[in-house]
């Protein structure tokens, strides 16, 4: 899988439009004491300089930001780096990463990632990764190809399962079979369209070949790829690591094997483990299975710095027209991009991250005000913001959905905005809000916390950054604040250096071309004819026979997978850990509370029952959930509201919810899910913000609403290329049950059509009236229920604040249902709303830990 695509999926699914974010759950200490992962305990076991299993301990540091202790080691024989994060978390993670720098666009790193998963020396069965799915309790298994590295992570809560997966992963990465048939299947091949019909035309086939045809058909991804290639043109980033379909057929099986021998070597690798399993066992397995069999080499994978330009540059590219845009005449995209700093320079990267947040995030950001609010385009250009996934980071900003005649105006607005910021600086409260958000993000624990850490470390660690230094965000923030204190002009000076005075500046314009798809097809046909012209009679016969052989291999009976490691019943815990929950009624509203080690955060979640909302208004619920928190409340305009939300919380959000009854496919619940979290000290302010939205959501600002409708349409439509299969499945299922029909309206093609229709409207007065009707109907406590997580120390205060919140909002709830009837699923109106009372609760009182 493409690494940036994965990050996009994580971003999108982290706060799904149809589900609420999971709340953190209590973890049990596996080492018998709350200090099991303290600095002293780990230092005693792994003192600096200690040698074990071929490794030497280099650094041991406590990381209070992560409630953990980090151990950094290096392997004496190969030089491989290993980072272990000892933390009280049952969801243990392993990852091996390698610097894989392509010198062309044949997609060799991407195809190699695929073919390593087709069997290895110890496990020669086809697709051992997929075969392990039903032999494992893994909570995550995958592999990713980025622009300059490849990584193979997994996570599990079971000790035996961890070792099993570790053995399979290590053998797959360092001892893959790399058979020619696997290369032909996963990479590219010539094959008859009908495999066993010699008279059918010969065509290109291959998993990666077809995957990249689809990937580069995505306008957003195409623009981002062009941006990177043009800003960093002199080395590996000028190439497409995933592969260009017109260059993938230049790759040979022999070249793939050579790339593996030079890049998939322990001297070019870094290892990561996380969680509460013993580090000693990890090191022993990694050394005995892999590292002790290799000698150190000097990998020739270094990425040189880009030669800086003396003058800015411009570039123009084309794309296919977008049938989803409201105005077909406004399909041009333009962005201005700047090459910034080496990502191993952590202080500068933090500064640039802060600058990017200040410049583009939220309605108070200068670029938001100068580019989005005039409604020149439909939204920010793809890749807007700070990108630290290449050795030298990039900042870009621009607009999509503009008229081609407006390119000059947009570029001039960008330059003017930069000059204005340098002249006026940033408001102090905005800087404090951004820093607050960074601190809060490190406290926010999720079920895939360990995986998230390595995703954040990978790019810079790949280029030699100190991984432990990157974890110490408190120290970096302290240094940053000290810089601001000593020099009030600190940020404006950085703006001058990195933006106004930066000659390494690119203006990239992308315009639609009606002939784009036809030209791509012509180029592919020309390449195919060239390949066919090089074939002799024996070569053509070989194409036919290889196709038959591969087809036979793909359709042969299931292999014997007994050689793969597996779990037995004795390896699985026989007890299930339940979460302790308390149920109460506060102000007539049902409240579920759970005391958890939340790292000083309060997690608030609520559900508003929407079953009585009129069928005419229901299709607008997804839009309502996206805009109601961004329009202002009462006398507070949307800018001030956004500032308060940013300063006091980690964000306030709503999303649509469809909860199906697992025992009755035509019974379900629909509603709005509310979510926010904050520091303990800000819980009263967070609930006060919710109260303002409940009591006086301001939905009458037509200009603001038009901007948000455009934003929502762009964001929703941009996910279509990656999720086309999901949209097709949702559409196909929409006739099978009432809940599936509603999913199509809320998150399928019907929702995109609704948004497109709204974006085309000259006047939004009717839409404003409809959104106000939704707010009047739903934003009360009549159909509300709440869940809250907090520490046991702070829970009494949270309940006190909840009482104040509920007493301040509209509504007259009938009271809580009996404990055995805490959730109500119901059929749609066409099924006469038959109701089912059950012991299931959206926040299940017997939630299994994961």
């Amino acid at each position: 899988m493409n690494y940036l695509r994965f990050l996009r999926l994580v971003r999108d699914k982290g706060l799904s439009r149809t589900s609420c974010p999971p709340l953190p759950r209590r973890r049990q200490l596996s080492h018998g004491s709350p200090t099991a992962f303290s600095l002293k305990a780990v230092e005693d076991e792994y003192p600096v300089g200690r040698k074990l299993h071929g490794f030497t301990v280099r650094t041991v540091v406590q990381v209070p930001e992560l409630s953990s202790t980090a151990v950094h080691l290096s392997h004496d024989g190969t030089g491989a780096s290993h980072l272990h994060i000892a933390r009280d978390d049952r969801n243990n993670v392993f990852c091996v990463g390698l610097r894989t720098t392509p010198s062309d666009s044949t997609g060799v790193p991407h195809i190699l990632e695929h073919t390593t998963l087709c069997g290895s020396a110890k496990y020669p069965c086809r697709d051992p990764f997929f075969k392990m799915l039903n032999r494992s309790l893994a909570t995550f298994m995958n592999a990713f190809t980025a622009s300059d590295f490849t990584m193979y992570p997994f996570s599990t809560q079971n000790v035996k399962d961890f070792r099993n997966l570790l053995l399979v992963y290590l053998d797959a990465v360092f001892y893959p079979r790399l058979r020619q048939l696997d290369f032909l299947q996963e990479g590219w091949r010539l094959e008859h369209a009908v495999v066993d019909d010699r008279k059918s035309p010969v065509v290109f086939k291959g998993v990666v070949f077809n995957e990249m045809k689809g990937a580069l058909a995505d306008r957003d991804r195409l623009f981002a790829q062009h941006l990177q290639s043009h800003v960093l043109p002199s080395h590996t980033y000028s190439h497409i690591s995933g592969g260009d379909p017109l260059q993938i057929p230049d790759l040979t099986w022999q070249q793939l094997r050579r790339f593996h021998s030079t890049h998939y070597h322990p001297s070019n690798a870094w290892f990561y483990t996380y969680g509460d399993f013993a580090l000693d066992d990890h090191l022993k397995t990694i050394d005995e299975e892999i590292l002790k069999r290799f000698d150190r080499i000097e990998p020739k994978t270094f990425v040189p710095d880009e030669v800086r330009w003396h003058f800015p540059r411009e570039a123009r590219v084309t794309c296919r027209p977008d049938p989803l845009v409201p105005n077909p005449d406004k399909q041009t995209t333009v962005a201005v991009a700047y090459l910034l700093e080496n990502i191993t320079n952590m202080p500068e990267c933090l500064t640039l991250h802060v600058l990017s947040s200040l410049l583009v995030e939220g309605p108070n950001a200068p670029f938001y005000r100068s580019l989005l609010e005039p409604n020149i385009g439909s939204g920010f250009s793809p890749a807007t913001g700070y990108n630290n996934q290449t050795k030298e980071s990039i900042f870009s900003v621009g607009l999509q959905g503009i008229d081609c005649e407006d390119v000059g105006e947009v570029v001039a607005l960008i330059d003017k905005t930069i000059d204005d910021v340098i002249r006026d600086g940033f408001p102090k409260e905005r800087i404090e809000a951004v820093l607050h958000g960074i601190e809060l993000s490190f406290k926010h624990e999720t079920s895939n916390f360990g995986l998230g850490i390595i995703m954040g470390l990978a790019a810079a660690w790949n280029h030699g950054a100190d991984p432990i230094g990157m974890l110490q965000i408190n120290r970096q923030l302290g240094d940053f604040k000290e810089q601001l204190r000593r020099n009030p002009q600190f940020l404006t000076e950085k703006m001058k250096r990195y933006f106004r005075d930066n000659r390494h500046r690119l203006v990239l314009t992308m315009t639609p071309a009606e002939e784009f798809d036809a030209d791509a097809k012509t180029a592919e046909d020309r390449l195919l004819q060239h390949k066919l012209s090089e074939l002799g009679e024996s070569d053509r016969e070989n194409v036919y026979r290889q196709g038959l052989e591969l087809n036979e291999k793909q359709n042969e009976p299931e292999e014997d997978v007994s050689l793969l490691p597996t779990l037995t019943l004795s390896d699985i815990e026989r007890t299930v850990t339940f979460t302790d929950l308390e149920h109460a009624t506060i102000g007539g509203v049902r409240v579920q509370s759970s005391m958890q080690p939340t790292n000083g955060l309060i997690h608030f979640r609520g559900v508003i029952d929407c079953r009585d909302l009129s069928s005419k208004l229901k299709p607008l619920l997804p839009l309502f959930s996206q805009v109601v928190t961004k329009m202002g409340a009462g006398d507070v305009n949307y800018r001030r509201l956004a500032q308060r939300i940013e300063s006091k919380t980690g964000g306030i959000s709503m999303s649509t919810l469809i909860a199906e009854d697992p025992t009755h496919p035509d019974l379900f619940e629909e509603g709005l899910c509310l979510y926010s979290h904050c520091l303990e000290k800000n819980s009263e302010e967070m609930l006060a913000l919710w109260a303002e939205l409940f009591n006086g959501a301001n939905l009458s600002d037509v200009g603001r609403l038009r901007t948000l409708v455009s934003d929502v349409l762009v964001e929703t439509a941009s996910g279509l290329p990656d999720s086309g299969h999901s949209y097709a499945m949702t559409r196909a299922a929409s006739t099978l049950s009432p809940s599936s029909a509603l999913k199509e309206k809320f998150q399928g093609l019907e929702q995109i059509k609704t948004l497109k229709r709204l974006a085309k409207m000259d006047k939004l007065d009717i839409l404003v009236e409809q959104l106000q009707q939704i707010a009047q109907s739903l934003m009360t406590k009549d159909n509300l229920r709440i869940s809250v997580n907090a520490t046991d120390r702070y829970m009494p205060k949270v309940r006190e604040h909840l009482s104040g919140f509920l007493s301040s909002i509209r509504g007259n709830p009938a009271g809580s249902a009996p404990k055995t009837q805490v959730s109500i699923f119901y059929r749609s109106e066409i099924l006469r709303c038959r109701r089912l009372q059950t012991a299931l609760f959206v926040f299940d009182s017997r939630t299994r830990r994961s």
Side-chain angles (χ1 to χ4, degrees):
M1 177 186 285
N2 179 273
Y3 177 72
L4 295 181
R5 179 187 175 194
F6 170 78
L7 292 181
R8 180 175 175 178
L9 291 174
V10 167
R11 178 203 69 195
D12 292 344
K13 293 184 178 180
L15 190 59
S16 167
R17 290 194 178 92
T18 58
S19 63
C20 301
L23 295 171
R25 299 169 181 162
R26 178 180 293 126
R27 293 182 297 273
Q28 305 293 326
L29 286 172
S30 60
H31 288 64
S33 99
T35 60
F37 300 103
S38 68
L39 177 61
K40 186 178 188 308
V42 177
E43 274 187 335
D44 288 346
E45 191 171 0
Y46 303 105
V48 173
R50 181 187 174 188
K51 294 183 179 293
L52 67 164
H53 307 300
F55 287 86
T56 300
V57 178
R58 299 300 180 189
T59 313
V60 181
V61 173
Q62 191 163 19
V63 187
E65 299 94 318
L66 306 180
S67 304
S68 66
T69 298
V71 184
H72 191 200
L73 311 95
S74 61
H75 189 258
D76 300 331
T78 64
S81 178
H82 187 117
L83 175 67
H84 178 71
I85 297 180
R87 192 170 189 268
D88 172 32
D89 192 340
R90 292 178 59 192
N91 198 32
N92 286 254
V93 179
F94 167 81
C95 180
V96 56
L98 309 110
R99 189 187 300 155
T100 49
T101 48
S103 57
D104 54 42
S105 293
T106 59
V108 59
H110 190 187
I111 295 172
L112 182 56
E113 174 222 309
H114 278 242
T115 50
T116 57
L117 310 184
C118 293
S120 62
K122 187 182 290 187
Y123 309 109
C125 62
R126 190 170 68 249
D127 298 332
F129 272 40
F130 298 101
K131 299 290 195 309
M132 285 297 292
L133 289 176
N134 58 3
R135 306 169 71 85
S136 165
L137 293 175
T139 55
F140 184 88
M141 288 177 62
N142 217 322
F144 313 111
T145 301
S147 294
D148 56 10
F149 67 87
T150 305
M151 59 191 298
Y152 296 81
F154 71 77
S155 62
T156 180
Q157 300 182 29
N158 185 286
V159 176
K160 176 71 177 297
D161 196 32
F162 190 98
R163 176 170 171 77
N164 289 349
L165 290 169
L166 181 59
L167 292 173
V168 172
Y169 265 64
L170 290 174
D171 208 59
V173 171
F174 293 101
Y175 292 106
R177 288 194 290 177
L178 299 183
R179 298 171 301 180
Q180 186 172 18
L181 281 181
D182 295 329
F183 167 71
L184 296 175
Q185 172 183 277
E186 301 298 323
W188 76 278
R189 64 187 182 277
L190 293 173
E191 187 175 278
H192 289 276
V194 179
V195 177
D196 58 355
D197 181 3
R198 291 176 183 271
K199 295 182 179 179
S200 65
V202 175
V203 296
F204 285 123
K205 295 184 182 179
V207 174
V208 171
F209 178 83
N210 286 315
E211 178 186 335
M212 292 309 297
K213 284 179 67 176
L216 295 178
D218 178 351
R219 290 161 50 100
D220 288 0
R221 193 177 302 181
L222 181 65
F223 186 85
Q225 180 64 57
H226 279 305
L227 191 78
Q228 175 178 294
S229 299
H230 281 86
V231 173
L232 296 161
S234 66
H235 199 259
T236 193
Y237 303 116
S238 64
H239 309 298
I240 304 174
S241 63
D244 181 344
L246 294 180
Q247 294 188 44
I248 288 174
D250 293 334
L251 182 67
T252 67
W253 175 49
Q254 292 78 10
Q255 289 171 332
L256 180 87
R257 294 175 66 87
R258 282 198 298 271
F259 191 90
H260 180 271
S261 67
T262 56
H263 290 73
Y264 276 51
H265 190 283
S267 298
N268 191 46
W270 35 268
F271 296 85
Y272 169 83
T273 49
Y274 163 95
D276 62 3
F277 295 162
L279 170 61
D280 194 273
D281 294 341
H282 303 335
L283 298 178
K284 181 179 179 181
T285 302
I286 293 170
D287 182 58
E288 290 182 352
E289 295 293 326
I290 300 297
L291 300 187
K292 67 188 301 183
R293 306 177 188 179
F294 287 84
D295 296 322
R296 186 192 295 257
I297 66 169
E298 192 61 42
K300 297 180 180 179
T301 57
F302 177 76
V303 178
D305 291 341
E306 184 68 32
V307 177
R308 297 296 173 128
W309 302 342
H310 297 297
F311 302 98
R313 299 181 183 180
E314 295 185 7
R316 294 179 179 274
V317 296
T318 59
C319 63
R320 59 157 39 120
D322 185 354
L324 293 177
V325 295
N327 186 346
D329 296 327
K330 300 181 72 172
Q331 297 194 53
T332 297
T333 301
V334 64
V336 179
Y338 302 85
L339 186 62
L340 304 176
E341 183 59 73
N342 192 304
I343 60 175
T344 61
N345 186 338
M346 288 174 283
E348 285 298 285
C349 285
L350 175 62
T351 299
L352 291 166
H353 173 77
V354 171
L355 277 176
S356 176
S357 298
L358 291 168
L359 288 169
V360 300
E361 292 183 6
N364 294 304
F367 281 124
Y368 191 101
R369 299 175 77 157
S370 65
L371 296 181
L372 292 190
E373 292 189 343
N375 290 314
I376 303 169
S378 58
F380 279 131
S381 57
T384 285
Y386 179 60
N387 176 11
N388 61 352
Q389 295 303 307
T390 52
K391 185 183 177 184
E392 293 171 280
S393 57
I394 298 170
F395 175 87
S396 72
V397 65
L399 282 177
Q400 61 182 312
I402 67 172
D403 190 292
C404 61
E405 301 296 326
D406 293 333
V407 168
E409 179 186 353
V410 173
V411 173
L413 279 173
I414 291 171
D415 291 339
K416 181 180 183 303
T417 303
I418 290 172
D419 289 338
D420 290 345
V421 170
I422 291 173
R423 183 191 67 231
D424 302 331
F426 297 102
K428 182 180 179 181
E429 61 270 19
R430 282 226 66 221
I431 299 173
E432 291 174 348
V434 168
L435 296 178
H436 167 261
I438 294 173
E439 293 175 289
L440 203 59
S441 67
F442 267 77
K443 284 182 170 288
H444 190 194
E445 302 178 21
T446 62
S447 58
N448 59 356
F449 195 72
L451 184 64
I453 290 173
I454 187 56
M455 291 297 177
L457 297 178
W461 191 10
N462 183 57
H463 291 288
D466 173 20
I468 288 183
M470 287 189 283
L471 297 174
Q472 296 173 307
I473 190 65
N474 284 349
R475 187 184 68 184
Q476 296 179 47
L477 285 172
D479 293 343
F480 177 83
K481 291 175 182 177
E482 179 60 20
Q483 289 271 23
L484 281 179
R485 187 192 65 80
R486 290 188 312 201
N487 179 12
Q489 302 304 313
F490 175 68
L491 289 178
T492 54
E493 289 173 1
K494 295 296 183 182
M495 286 290 300
K496 292 178 186 177
R497 173 186 171 186
Y498 287 114
F499 297 101
R500 191 172 68 186
D501 299 337
N502 189 349
R503 300 293 93 190
H504 202 111
R505 174 183 185 266
L506 173 76
V507 176
L508 177 65
T509 305
M510 184 171 77
T511 54
E514 291 294 338
E515 65 278 6
F516 184 84
D517 285 335
D519 288 348
K521 180 67 168 59
T522 299
E524 182 180 328
D525 290 344
R526 189 180 301 118
L527 176 63
L528 176 62
Q529 293 307 313
H530 174 71
K531 290 288 184 183
L532 292 176
S533 69
E534 295 179 330
L535 300 180
E537 195 61 37
S538 61
D539 296 323
R540 290 178 179 270
E541 179 66 19
N542 190 45
V543 166
Y544 176 70
R545 295 195 176 280
Q546 274 188 341
L548 292 177
E549 183 181 0
L550 180 58
N551 185 62
E552 180 182 356
K553 198 74 175 173
Q554 292 170 335
N555 292 286
E556 67 184 10
E558 278 296 319
E559 300 172 290
D560 178 13
V561 296
S562 61
L563 50 83
L564 288 170
T566 189
L567 294 175
T568 64
L569 287 176
S570 61
D571 298 320
I572 302 172
E573 293 182 22
R574 292 185 176 272
T575 58
V576 177
T577 304
F578 296 116
T579 301
D580 296 327
L581 303 175
E582 297 181 21
H583 295 92
T585 301
I586 301 177
V589 174
R590 287 177 292 147
V591 176
Q592 173 188 289
S593 57
S594 181
M595 289 177 281
Q596 300 287 336
T598 60
N599 206 15
L601 298 186
I602 306 297
H603 295 266
F604 168 88
R605 185 164 64 170
V607 170
I608 300 173
D609 189 340
C610 297
R611 66 173 177 259
D612 293 329
L613 189 67
S614 73
S615 58
K616 181 180 179 181
L617 295 177
K618 276 184 183 177
L620 296 176
L621 267 180
L623 176 63
F624 176 82
S625 69
Q626 293 290 297
V627 305
V628 68
T629 61
K630 302 170 184 175
M631 292 282 290
D635 296 330
V636 179
N637 66 28
Y638 67 89
R639 294 193 198 281
R640 185 58 189 160
L641 182 65
Q643 179 63 42
R644 289 173 57 197
I645 290 174
E646 192 177 18
S647 299
K648 298 298 182 181
T649 77
I652 283 180
S653 65
M654 286 191 187
S655 57
T656 53
L657 171 72
I658 300 175
E660 295 166 306
D661 178 3
T663 63
H664 295 271
D666 56 352
L667 303 179
F668 65 101
E669 179 182 20
E670 64 189 82
L672 281 178
C673 181
L674 323 177
Y675 178 74
S676 62
H677 66 278
C678 67
L679 296 171
E680 289 177 339
K681 65 180 182 180
N682 293 329
S683 62
E684 189 171 16
E685 289 92 337
M686 177 181 72
L687 292 172
L689 287 165
W690 278 115
E692 291 179 33
L693 289 170
F694 269 76
N695 292 328
N698 183 358
L699 297 163
S700 60
D701 187 336
V702 175
R704 173 64 173 161
L705 181 59
R706 187 174 296 281
T707 298
L708 292 176
V709 169
S710 180
D711 284 350
V712 174
L713 174 59
V714 168
E715 182 182 353
T716 304
S718 67
L720 187 57
D722 273 340
S723 306
H725 61 295
S726 297
Y727 280 95
M729 286 165 30
T730 300
R731 184 76 166 193
S734 63
T735 60
L736 301 180
S737 69
S739 62
S740 297
L742 191 61
K743 284 182 181 179
E744 170 64 15
K745 289 182 180 179
F746 278 5
Q747 62 189 75
L749 292 174
E750 282 300 314
Q751 182 60 207
I752 293 180
K753 289 180 181 178
T754 297
L755 291 171
K756 184 177 178 180
R757 174 177 59 81
L758 296 174
K760 282 183 172 182
M761 292 172 60
D762 293 330
K763 295 184 178 181
L764 297 181
D765 296 347
I766 295 176
L767 177 60
V768 168
E769 182 179 344
Q770 291 173 322
L771 294 177
Q772 288 173 336
Q773 290 174 13
I774 294 175
Q776 182 66 25
S777 175
L778 299 183
M779 301 296 280
T780 77
K781 59 185 174 185
D782 291 345
N783 298 308
L784 174 67
R785 64 184 187 274
I786 289 171
S787 174
V788 63
N789 278 15
T791 60
D792 53 359
R793 177 185 63 85
Y794 205 77
M795 185 61 78
K797 184 65 71 174
V798 174
R799 290 176 178 145
E800 178 185 325
H801 295 159
L802 277 174
S803 179
F805 160 63
L806 293 171
S807 66
S808 69
I809 63 176
R810 296 182 299 117
N812 297 289
S816 62
K819 290 185 179 179
T820 57
Q821 301 176 348
V822 292
S823 184
I824 297 176
F825 291 81
Y826 51 93
R827 298 175 188 261
S828 67
E829 292 175 2
I830 60 173
L831 293 178
R832 298 183 181 178
C833 296
R834 175 185 169 188
R835 298 182 181 180
L836 170 71
Q837 294 181 331
T838 176
L840 293 175
F841 191 64
V842 171
F843 318 116
D844 190 347
S845 61
R846 297 178 298 169
T847 303
R848 183 173 178 177
R849 284 183 44 175
S850 60

